Amino acid sequence: MPNIKSAKKRVKVIAAKTEKNKALRSALRTDIKKANIAIETGAADKDQAVRLAVKKIDQAVAKGLLRKNTAARRKSALAKKAQA
């Protein structure tokens, strides 16, 4: 454990950020899975599910959860799957 006050605070802040990022990343994965399932089953709302997943991917980039190229790759894969 850290002894310095600022180091103690950093531990708390990092723990809070880690929990927040974990929740956001989990929600992102869930939306991508939902979009993939909608595409595979040919659901009526597949376009909406893909659009939502792409939006979540863009938000993840804005928050620093994903890198720009990773997001582009995932969006491209979703679009390609939706078109096929």
Side-chain angles (χ1 to χ4, degrees), residues 2-81:
N3 295 325
I4 299 169
K5 189 176 180 181
S6 62
K8 289 178 183 178
K9 181 179 178 181
R10 292 307 310 156
V11 168
K12 282 184 181 178
V13 169
I14 289 169
K17 282 185 176 184
T18 301
E19 287 300 312
K20 183 181 174 190
N21 286 338
K22 208 181 281 187
L24 291 171
R25 191 171 286 120
S26 175
L28 173 67
R29 287 185 185 136
T30 302
D31 286 333
I32 291 172
K33 284 179 188 173
K34 283 181 183 177
N36 281 325
I37 290 170
I39 290 167
E40 289 168 7
T41 59
D45 64 339
K46 75 175 181 180
D47 292 333
Q48 184 180 1
V50 170
R51 211 173 312 124
L52 178 67
V54 168
K55 181 180 178 183
K56 290 281 187 176
I57 290 170
D58 287 335
Q59 287 175 342
V61 171
K63 291 179 180 180
L65 285 176
L66 291 177
R67 291 179 58 93
K68 194 169 57 170
N69 288 349
T70 304
R73 189 177 65 244
R74 290 187 182 178
K75 290 193 299 187
S76 174
L78 269 177
K80 189 176 179 183
K81 206 179 234 187

